[in-house]
Each structure stands twice: as C-alpha cells, then as structure tokens.
Amino acid sequence: MQAGVAVIPTAPERVRNRDSHYPYRFDSYFHYLTGFGEPEAVLVLVAGPVPQSILFCREKNPEREVWDGFRHGPDAARETFGFDQAHPIDQLDEMMPKLLADQPSLYFHLGADSDWDARAVGWLNGVRAEVRNGVTAPGAIQDVRALLDEMRLIKSAEEIAVMRRAAEISSAAHRRAMRHARPGRYEYEIEAELLHEFRCSGSLAPAYSSIVAGGANACVLHYVDNGAVLRDGDLLLIDAACELDGYAADITRTFPVNGRYGAAQKDLYEMVLAAQAAAIAAVAPGAGWDDPHQAALQVLAQGLIDFGLCAGSVEAVLESGDYKRFYMHKTGHWLGMDVHDVGDYKRGGQWRRLEPGMVLTVEPGCYIRPAGDVPERWWNIGIRIEDDVLVTGRGCEVLTAAAPKTVREIENLMEAQ
Ligand code: GLY
Ligand code: MN
Ligand code: MN
C-alpha cells in the first residue's frame, strides 16, 4: 500500500427464512488478514511510518452471549489476535473520517456491496467537511482486492498444511462414498456419507454445494438436486469436498454404481484420465496457466476422434471447437479460501506463469447427451476427474492423491465391500 488506509469488512449474517440464519461464513479477505471469525467486524489497516492494525468488532454482551454464544469484545480481541487497537463496531462511522484525514488513498472493495459503498462515501464526505480546518481528504480510492488477491494466490507453508488436510479429509470422503454406493441407494444417501466424513473430521461445511449425480444427471454440470435413485449399470459423478479452517478442497471422482465400469464407460473414463494425467504433467513453475488445459484438450480431441464422436484431425477439432459439445468447461481454476479462488489468470494479455505456492484444480471431463448423430452406447455418460495440485519448486504435488482414480483402484476398493 505504501501509504493510505485499507478497510476490509467481514461478511454479514444472512437470514434464511424468518428468524433462521444461514450458517455464518466470514469473508475470505477479512479472515485471511485477521483469523477473526465473528460477524459484524471490520479491519482497518493504516499504512505509513506508524502502521496500525485496528479491529472494529461487537462489544461484550452478557445477555446476547447467553443466547448466541461467546463474543470476544474489543479488549480480548486485541489481546488474542494481536491488533494494535480494537474498538466497538458502533464507533466505525465516527472514527473513519478521523482515520482518513490527511491520508492519500482509501483502499476499499468498492462495488462489492452497495451498503458498504454508501458508508465509505459517508466517511469521505466526513473528511471533506473538515477541509476548511486544514484537513486533506483522500484523493484516490483503490481496490484493496488487487493487492490481497496476489497475496492470497501464493500460499504460505501454513496455508498449504491446512489445504493438505482439507484434501485428505475430502479424499477420505470420496473413498467412503465409493464404499457406500450401490444400486437402489439414493444420491442424497451418498451425499450424507460425504457430510459424515467432513463433519467427523472437524470440517464445518462443504466448500461448495455437493454434486452427487448418477447416470444422466452427471451431464448437468452444476447438478445439486441429489434426489435420484442410483441405477445398476450407471456411473456416479461426485464433485464434493470440504472447507477446513477457511480453505477449500475440490475433488471429483466418477465411478460405477455397481462397482464395475461398462465397456463404453471404461473407454471414456480412460480417455478423461489420460487427459488429466497430461494436464497434471504440464503443471510446473514457469509453465503458462493455459498449458494444462491445452495438454488435456490434445488428449480429449484425439479420443473423441478415435471414438467417432468428432471428425477430422486434432488440430481441426481444436480449431473448430467441435469438442466443446462434449467438453464445455476449462480444465481448472485457482483454489484457496474460495473454491474458485482469487488471482488473475492473465498478465499483460498473456497467460500468467505458474509459481511455487500456487494451488489449482485439474479437472477435465466428458459429457455426452443423447443425440441422433451420437452412437447410443455413449449416451448419458458424464465423467469428470478433478484433483487439487500444488505448484512446487520443481514440478507439482497432487494434494488429493488419496482419492482413488484408476479403474483398477476404484474397482478393487468397491469389490472389497
Ligand atoms: N466444484 C466446483 C468446481 O469444480 O469448479
Ligand atoms: Mn473445480
Ligand atoms: Mn469441483
């Protein structure tokens, strides 16, 4: 920041219906900088010769604490979390104009929330009202996220340790799902097995809505109904993972409901697995962001041609985009506190280079809906294989390797049940 004042509020509590709330989830930026998990809190960072970290939070309230639980209050929050100052949240609007006086910039998440935008305008007008007393108002509003996104993109050793654990728990959940799947069970029963593993391992919640999609449902990319019965002979696509201490995992596995891949299923599965292997092999420091995607596309295009699902050369299929009928998403995204984590994918018009400490997903797939020009053996097969990959000094490490993914590994695990 060099100089200026950054203001980073946490997320609000949200009503679900009447007086019931959604489970509370802090704002990722706020939590990244503070570790403070209570709602109604704002971090103010003053840069310059005497840097200050200032927390605004709820006051102690013995009566509310009887109903809703512990609140730190400013004094204990300052002590416990190491802020330079802490004040009651009610004092934010009164103190902000003073904190912004004679500062060159306000660093803020402008445009993310209209209520906060209005409050920021109020603080700025509060300083401007003092200019005749010799005070200078900030001349610039800058997006604080631009700075934080770059920080969050490169994970520290501590963050990697948490993500490794989130990946392990999520891998165990996929193994559990494979053990419990069989014809006649419902998608939501398997979802419950995933949640069981998450919660029993200390995770508070899934990192995103679990996708448990049997048969044709796997061709709906964001299927979340999870209400259908699992049928003999179908595949089951599960895209589910936990959040642990604010960090997400993101895993997809696709396996046969009855424990044995059919011939067409196996052909397509091996193709997607080979595409994923090629993509993971392309993850290394210095590689371009898009290299894994291009590596996956080469394998997928060749496979679709071999299976008669696309026609022409690999180059022609890639050039025309004919493959998009069966593979319509990209091969990955940044992963971190948010499942689709922050960070630019391009720099100066070029795909950015991978660096040690970045974590991304590698998730090629293939989804075949019924159509007159598609042989029936492929109909309603939807496959995705997704792992979480850490860029290391020399190459990469698959954090989710404990979730089985070869045909043999999966069939062996399911046969043992
Ligand atoms: N589960 C969300 C994704 O794979 O991007
Ligand atoms: Mn993903
Ligand atoms: Mn996913």
Side-chain angles (χ1 to χ4, degrees):
M1 285 168 60
Q2 310 292 340
V5 177
V7 181
I8 300 121
T10 196
E13 293 177 289
R14 296 275 186 207
V15 171
R16 181 175 183 274
N17 58 306
R18 198 163 164 81
D19 57 355
S20 293
H21 289 78
Y22 285 103
Y24 182 67
R25 168 57 156 78
F26 44 74
D27 174 78
S28 295
Y29 292 108
F30 176 85
H31 202 264
Y32 177 79
L33 292 170
T34 65
F36 190 71
E38 293 182 26
E40 296 182 75
V42 175
L43 174 68
V44 177
L45 294 175
V46 183
V50 191
Q52 289 281 302
S53 65
I54 308 169
L55 180 76
F56 290 85
C57 67
R58 300 181 302 193
E59 290 193 86
K60 295 288 292 173
N61 183 330
E63 192 191 326
R64 281 318 318 164
E65 289 180 55
V66 167
W67 288 87
D68 302 329
F70 176 76
R71 301 175 174 198
H72 280 85
D75 290 342
R78 189 187 60 244
E79 286 286 311
T80 308
F81 292 83
F83 299 103
D84 295 313
Q85 303 175 35
H87 304 282
I89 186 73
D90 297 347
Q91 293 180 12
L92 180 73
D93 289 328
E94 183 190 323
M95 287 186 67
M96 276 315 300
K98 297 186 184 99
L99 288 165
L100 286 169
D102 297 325
Q103 292 285 351
S105 296
L106 167 63
Y107 286 82
F108 190 66
H109 63 330
L110 197 67
D113 181 292
S114 52
D115 290 345
W116 278 110
D117 289 354
R119 282 178 83 169
V121 168
W123 307 330
L124 289 168
N125 285 337
V127 201
R128 288 169 190 144
E130 294 297 318
V131 290
R132 267 171 291 163
N133 296 326
V135 170
T136 313
I141 302 177
Q142 310 215 37
D143 189 352
V144 71
R145 289 170 298 194
L147 299 175
L148 292 171
D149 289 356
E150 282 301 300
M151 294 169 67
R152 284 176 53 186
L153 182 55
I154 309 291
K155 274 69 180 177
S156 67
E158 291 77 11
E159 292 179 288
I160 290 167
V162 178
M163 292 190 74
R164 201 183 290 287
R165 181 80 189 120
E168 281 167 8
I169 294 168
S170 305
S171 299
H174 278 262
R175 294 198 300 273
R176 187 181 178 92
M178 289 172 189
R179 288 199 301 270
H180 281 82
R182 57 187 59 97
R185 298 203 74 181
Y186 281 80
E187 292 166 340
Y188 54 77
E189 293 182 83
I190 307 305
E191 182 184 9
E193 300 297 342
L194 296 160
L195 290 173
H196 175 98
E197 195 72 36
F198 297 163
R199 290 296 280 125
C200 286
S201 303
S203 155
L204 294 179
Y208 53 91
S209 300
S210 303
I211 297 169
V212 183
N217 296 335
C219 295
V220 179
L221 295 180
H222 290 161
Y223 177 79
V224 288
D225 288 351
N226 300 354
V229 70
L230 299 176
R231 297 187 323 176
D232 200 5
D234 277 353
L235 291 177
L236 175 58
L237 182 154
I238 297 180
D239 185 345
C242 73
E243 176 177 296
L244 185 72
D245 297 344
Y247 286 82
D250 185 6
I251 304 181
T252 309
R253 289 293 183 264
T254 311
F255 55 92
V257 167
N258 65 13
R260 289 267 154 207
Y261 289 87
Q265 294 168 347
K266 188 171 168 185
D267 282 348
L268 223 51
Y269 188 86
E270 301 276 22
M271 174 186 79
V272 176
L273 191 60
Q276 203 218 20
I280 291 173
V283 178
W289 162 260
D290 204 42
D291 292 358
H293 182 54
Q294 293 304 327
L297 284 183
Q298 289 284 332
V299 177
L300 291 173
Q302 183 64 61
L304 292 169
I305 293 163
D306 293 346
F307 295 144
L309 292 163
C310 286
S313 64
V314 168
E315 293 69 36
V317 167
L318 295 179
E319 175 70 27
S320 64
D322 284 353
Y323 68 87
K324 289 183 183 163
R325 186 175 169 198
F326 307 114
Y327 181 46
M328 56 297 281
H329 58 79
K330 298 278 277 183
T331 302
H333 49 82
W334 302 129
L335 184 70
M337 297 193 77
D338 298 313
V339 65
H340 297 154
D341 207 31
V342 296
D344 290 335
Y345 292 91
K346 279 196 168 178
R347 276 283 160 99
Q350 303 289 322
W351 294 115
R352 76 184 294 164
R353 302 280 135 196
L354 299 180
E355 295 171 42
M358 293 174 168
V359 181
L360 58 143
T361 67
V362 179
E363 50 178 307
C366 186
Y367 315 90
I368 306 189
R369 289 168 175 269
D373 59 341
V374 171
E376 210 170 325
R377 71 188 295 253
W378 305 114
W379 286 10
N380 295 321
I381 301 180
I383 293 168
R384 180 164 63 256
I385 307 170
E386 176 174 30
D387 281 298
D388 304 342
V389 181
L390 166 70
V391 183
T392 61
R394 295 171 145 212
C396 69
E397 177 190 340
V398 178
L399 301 176
T400 43
K405 65 179 172 182
T406 67
V407 166
R408 181 188 293 230
E409 282 169 347
I410 290 173
E411 290 190 346
N412 284 350
L413 184 150
M414 295 185 73
E415 191 177 285
Q417 297 321 302

